[in-house]
Amino acid sequence: MEYDFLPEKHWDNHDYLLYLYDVIADMIRKSDQNKLTSFKLQFDNEETAHSFENEEDMFKWMDENGFHETSVKVFESHVFFSLLTDFCYYLYESLSCAKRGKVTVAYTLLRKPIRDNLLYLEWLLDDCEEFYNAFLYGPIEQCDVANYKIFDKKRIQKIVDSASKKTYMGEQLNNNNFLYTLRFNNKDVRGLQRIWNQSMHLITTSPNYLTNQGNLNFIFTDDKIWSDYWNYYYLVMPQLITYSLEICEAIFTKISKVNDFDLSFNRSVRYAKYNKTLPSLESIAELEIYPHEILNVLKESGGVAALTCEQCNQSIQIDDETMKKIVAGWFIKCNSCGEDHSICRYIVDIDVLAI
């Protein structure tokens, strides 16, 4: 992709963020394609079926009639994809604004998805049963993550920490509570809270981000300050959205069946991409060789991985050279029709062919 306004030093990071967005958004598409929010109930008699059909609150009915486990699963799926859709709306617009240099708006649009939506997703992953009961049966205040009397810093930190441990690499990304600090610590100079408040309000009186006398937040700003905020956006966003995808994958794979090979393939490819974009974690840097190791193990067992071309439906075999292109770029070319095949999605349709 070419950029008219975005400085060249940010191009790779922006491309990577668009890739992450596409992978997350693809989970929503798969929900629609595979009807992941639909469910079936088996009733013993017509009277019970009729009772269900006439009940306004299906969750309450299921809880009272022996279908609690199904009710929680339906709730988890519905809430996950609904929150994720909203998350993607705001994320895409933030990326669009950042690309065009509208830094204040880019930061403002991040607050809801990164602070609120993501925390609800973490809560859903950490303790779905607690979320379920609070949301359906408790007072609405119990679900307000902006209410610091209910969700104090200790509780939020516990949710983030516990959820990150239920993902593949989220705990490493949140090393030393880094991502918690970015999102919720308004005293830390690295925190986004101060930037969000300054981008949303012309004057802020908190001692942590007090507006200087004779100034208005983000209004009287020189090019150096703008550049610093722009640079910071592309420094922290790859880590925040990579972590967001970790949370999403952990919930998505509970709802939708993903085989071990597809799971390993997706993880190894995205972290090889992460390492090329932002090589910061040693444990992640080691994963750059994993995509090729997966192919070698498969080859030794007499198989080869292949994707189905979205244009001509022919197989695209994945050898070492193709894997390099997958890690380095966003498309691979089909040898049959010559068209580009996008790999910017959550791939769950890898075929294993006999050599």
Side-chain angles (χ1 to χ4, degrees):
M1 182 178 291
E2 295 183 359
Y3 299 99
D4 297 327
F5 196 71
L6 185 68
E8 186 173 357
K9 63 182 178 179
H10 298 316
W11 289 2
D12 287 345
N13 282 24
H14 193 85
D15 286 345
Y16 175 66
L17 289 169
L18 289 176
Y19 161 76
L20 294 175
Y21 166 82
D22 283 341
V23 174
I24 293 173
D26 189 57
M27 293 180 181
I28 301 170
R29 287 190 288 272
K30 284 180 169 54
S31 168
D32 294 334
Q33 293 168 358
N34 302 318
K35 298 181 179 180
L36 297 179
T37 58
S38 63
F39 66 102
K40 292 182 179 180
L41 291 179
Q42 297 293 332
F43 299 116
D44 294 333
N45 53 66
E46 290 186 7
E47 182 180 352
T48 304
H50 185 69
S51 173
F52 174 74
E53 291 170 358
N54 287 279
E55 174 60 51
E56 292 184 2
D57 189 339
M58 68 174 186
F59 294 106
K60 181 180 179 181
W61 186 95
M62 285 190 283
D63 279 342
E64 293 177 348
N65 290 274
F67 293 95
H68 175 71
E69 185 176 339
T70 300
S71 185
V72 173
K73 288 181 179 179
V74 174
F75 174 86
E76 180 180 39
S77 179
H78 178 69
V79 170
F80 171 60
F81 289 113
S82 298
L83 283 170
L84 200 56
T85 299
D86 189 66
F87 178 93
C88 285
Y89 288 155
Y90 281 85
L91 175 60
Y92 182 83
E93 294 303 327
S94 177
L95 292 173
S96 177
C97 287
K99 180 182 71 172
R100 292 177 284 130
K102 301 183 183 298
V103 181
T104 308
V105 184
Y107 275 113
T108 300
L109 288 168
L110 278 184
R111 188 184 185 280
K112 182 185 177 186
I114 296 301
R115 190 197 174 286
D116 292 355
N117 290 51
L118 182 54
L119 182 57
Y120 282 118
L121 291 172
E122 288 164 321
W123 188 15
L124 192 66
L125 175 60
D126 175 40
D127 196 335
C128 184
E129 185 77 28
E130 181 185 67
F131 191 172
Y132 175 91
N133 287 314
F135 188 83
L136 293 179
Y137 301 118
I140 193 63
E141 290 82 8
Q142 288 188 8
C143 296
D144 182 8
V145 294
N147 186 335
Y148 288 113
K149 293 181 179 179
I150 304 295
F151 287 85
D152 57 21
K153 291 183 178 181
K154 185 177 180 180
R155 183 181 181 188
I156 292 175
Q157 188 170 341
K158 178 182 179 297
I159 291 173
V160 174
D161 181 64
S162 181
S164 70
K165 290 176 180 177
K166 295 181 179 180
T167 68
Y168 180 53
M169 293 292 288
E171 188 176 10
Q172 288 88 331
L173 289 164
N174 190 42
N175 187 41
N176 292 324
N177 293 313
F178 176 62
L179 294 179
Y180 164 83
T181 297
L182 280 181
R183 296 158 59 202
F184 299 105
N185 192 334
N186 58 9
K187 295 182 179 180
D188 196 294
V189 294
R190 300 169 298 172
L192 288 170
Q193 285 280 15
R194 61 186 181 86
I195 301 177
W196 285 333
N197 279 281
Q198 289 175 328
S199 68
M200 294 172 65
H201 305 287
L202 292 174
I203 293 178
T204 46
T205 56
S206 169
N208 299 312
Y209 34 84
L210 180 66
T211 304
N212 294 328
Q213 187 175 19
N215 193 19
L216 295 172
N217 295 330
F218 281 106
I219 300 299
F220 308 125
T221 306
D222 58 31
D223 289 341
K224 181 183 181 307
I225 295 176
W226 278 118
S227 180
D228 288 343
Y229 279 110
W230 214 356
N231 292 340
Y232 193 61
Y233 183 95
Y234 284 104
L235 175 64
V236 300
M237 280 293 283
Q239 299 179 69
L240 280 168
I241 308 306
T242 298
Y243 172 79
S244 299
L245 178 50
E246 284 290 306
I247 297 296
C248 291
E249 181 188 67
I251 302 173
F252 180 75
T253 52
K254 287 176 61 181
I255 298 170
S256 177
K257 293 180 180 179
V258 180
N259 66 54
D260 290 342
F261 185 84
D262 288 352
L263 195 61
S264 297
F265 185 90
N266 280 281
R267 288 170 173 175
S268 62
V269 166
R270 75 170 179 261
Y271 278 110
K273 288 181 178 294
Y274 176 94
N275 185 55
K276 285 183 176 295
T277 304
L278 197 65
S280 60
L281 299 180
E282 183 178 347
S283 57
I284 288 178
E286 295 173 356
L287 294 179
E288 188 171 350
I289 63 172
Y290 281 16
H292 298 279
E293 290 187 353
I294 290 174
L295 295 184
N296 291 335
V297 171
L298 190 61
K299 186 176 181 180
E300 289 173 1
S301 65
V304 61
L307 295 171
T308 301
C309 175
E310 56 195 355
Q311 305 296 333
C312 68
N313 292 323
Q314 296 299 308
S315 292
I316 306 173
Q317 291 193 14
I318 306 173
D319 54 20
D320 279 327
E321 192 60 35
T322 304
M323 184 61 84
K324 289 179 182 178
K325 293 177 181 177
I326 289 174
V327 170
W330 320 110
F331 299 90
I332 52 176
K333 192 172 291 295
C334 174
N335 292 327
S336 297
C337 67
E339 296 294 327
D340 287 334
H341 175 83
S342 174
I343 51 86
C344 299
R345 53 196 176 90
Y346 197 83
I347 300 171
V348 295
D349 55 355
I350 302 173
D351 296 319
V352 177
L353 309 176
I355 297 176

